[in-house]
Amino acid sequence: MMFDGDRRSAPWVFALPLALALNAVLVYAAVFNGPQAAWDHQGYEGTAAAVFLSLCLSLLGILITLVPPVRRALGPWWFAPPLVLGVIAWVRIETLG
């Protein structure tokens, strides 16, 4: 049974997997395409930018999942992917050195 509030939140339900897909691409880029050496300042800046955007998307994913109709439609396990991607991004920026 779908309520009126559930129909209005349908775009948010579809936005969550899209945000997670983009977040996964950014985390992949940050982890596997880092700087080449200590002299590669653009590599450090690019990795830091990818991590920042990934952390923003992780926060957005968690906030979208907090919306009650989305949480009812998808379930509480949808908190895990943005949280895991955010932790991976955080570890990457902390170990970038």
Side-chain angles (χ1 to χ4, degrees), residues 14-92:
F14 294 119
L16 183 61
L18 181 62
L20 287 175
L22 183 57
N23 194 356
V25 168
L26 287 169
V27 168
Y28 179 83
V31 171
F32 292 108
N33 296 329
Q36 300 298 315
W39 51 264
D40 190 8
H41 297 291
Q42 289 179 340
Y44 283 103
E45 291 172 5
T47 302
V51 166
F52 175 74
L53 291 174
S54 175
L55 290 173
C56 290
L57 285 173
S58 292
L59 180 63
L60 180 66
I62 289 171
L63 291 176
I64 290 172
T65 309
L66 283 173
V67 176
V70 174
R71 196 173 53 241
R72 276 195 309 267
L74 295 178
W77 72 273
W78 276 88
F79 282 111
L83 187 62
V84 168
L85 290 170
V87 167
I88 293 170
W90 184 262
V91 168
R92 176 60 177 151

